[in-house]
Amino acid sequence: MIFEETFTLHNGVKIPKLALGTWLVADEDAGAAVAAALQIGYRHVDTAQAYRNEAGVGDGIRKSGVKREDVFVTSKVAAERKEYANAAASIDRSLKKMGLDYLDLMIIHSPQPWKAVNQSDDRYFEGNLAAWKALEDAYKAGKVRAIGVSNFLEIDLENISTHGEIKPMVNQILAHIGNTPFALIDYCQHRDIVVEAYSPIAHGMALQAEEITAMAEKYGVSASQLCIRYDLQLGMVVLPKTVNPEHMKSNGAVDFVISAEDMERLKHVSPLKDYGKDSFFPVFGGKM
């Protein structure tokens, strides 16, 4: 069962390969979604300060009936927090909002504040080191079991690895069929940094791609299942987002194998970089 499969971070902590993503899930809806996912079998839930649903996620964990120690919970320090004190205080606020004693993973959400993404060449090296120090101290204090980053490019990772005390354990990035940053994935995996793939179904646009739907039909699965399996076979944690329990079940039914030949075909699918009405989000701008 995919829910039971894990990767091991470089500090020995095990991270489930499939997570429930909660981006764009309202706080009032997050509790029911998280509780449903955990009852279905999910053991990894991903949220962020910027999602404004940490309270709902925490409530869902408590209402699920699943033991806290059996759930891997991730949140992210907001991209704008580039000072030590601000970042450190935000971690404490996240714990309080969620009603948790610890988080399993805390991530810096972006190397740049969102207003600067795709607009500036400034990579905020000093600010990221300050935020990273806050994560390192939270880790040493037992407030978080692992620390990582999101949307970081090679140059951003080098900054942390060279000047920080602890190497990132995770890098969460946009990665899906038709838009897979192979060089960045390879860079991370060769340095024992686990890669997490958000928007694995291309924010829904993969469902409209004929090359993907045709391949899914060949395997007798949905396009969503094919997309999730593709990222899994590239060695990544996958974070599909849904509030629909039936979709949660379907997204977890990925115990099939894409052949090596078909994986190569999927790696060369026509670029999927038009995210429709949601293309305005900075993460889809192509210059993270």
Side-chain angles (χ1 to χ4, degrees), residues 36-37 40 42 222 225 242-253:
I40 287 167
Y42 285 75
S222 69
Q225 289 169 322
T242 182
V243 297
N244 185 319
E246 291 306 313
H247 292 170
M248 293 176 193
K249 292 177 185 176
S250 177
N251 289 343

Side-chain angles (χ1 to χ4, degrees), residues 110-130:
S110 167
Q112 299 172 297
W114 294 123
K115 66 180 181 181
V117 174
N118 304 313
Q119 306 297 323
S120 171
D121 292 328
D122 186 351
R123 301 307 295 181
Y124 290 79
F125 289 144
E126 290 187 10
N128 285 318
L129 287 172

Side-chain angles (χ1 to χ4, degrees), residues 23-24 50-51 79-80 109-120 123 150-153 172-174 179 198-199 203 273 275-288:
W23 182 32
L24 301 179
Y51 299 171
E80 293 72 26
H109 207 158
S110 167
Q112 299 172 297
W114 294 123
K115 66 180 181 181
V117 174
N118 304 313
Q119 306 297 323
S120 171
R123 301 307 295 181
S150 182
N151 300 303
F152 273 48
L153 301 179
Q172 186 179 123
I173 61 175
L174 176 66
N179 191 0
Y198 67 78
S199 295
H203 211 57
K273 297 187 178 182
Y275 299 92
K277 64 180 178 62
D278 294 319
S279 294
F280 70 92
F281 283 113
V283 293
F284 297 140
K287 297 181 181 179
M288 287 301 303

Side-chain angles (χ1 to χ4, degrees), residues 227-248:
C227 289
I228 292 167
R229 187 67 208 176
Y230 167 85
D231 277 348
L232 287 169
Q233 287 187 211
L234 289 177
M236 295 186 282
V237 172
V238 191
L239 300 91
K241 186 269 294 185
T242 182
V243 297
N244 185 319
E246 291 306 313
H247 292 170
M248 293 176 193

Side-chain angles (χ1 to χ4, degrees), residues 1-6 16 18 37 40-43 248-249 252-253:
M1 288 288 292
I2 188 62
F3 299 128
E4 300 171 359
E5 295 182 18
T6 61
L18 188 68
I40 287 167
Y42 285 75
R43 290 297 179 265
M248 293 176 193
K249 292 177 185 176

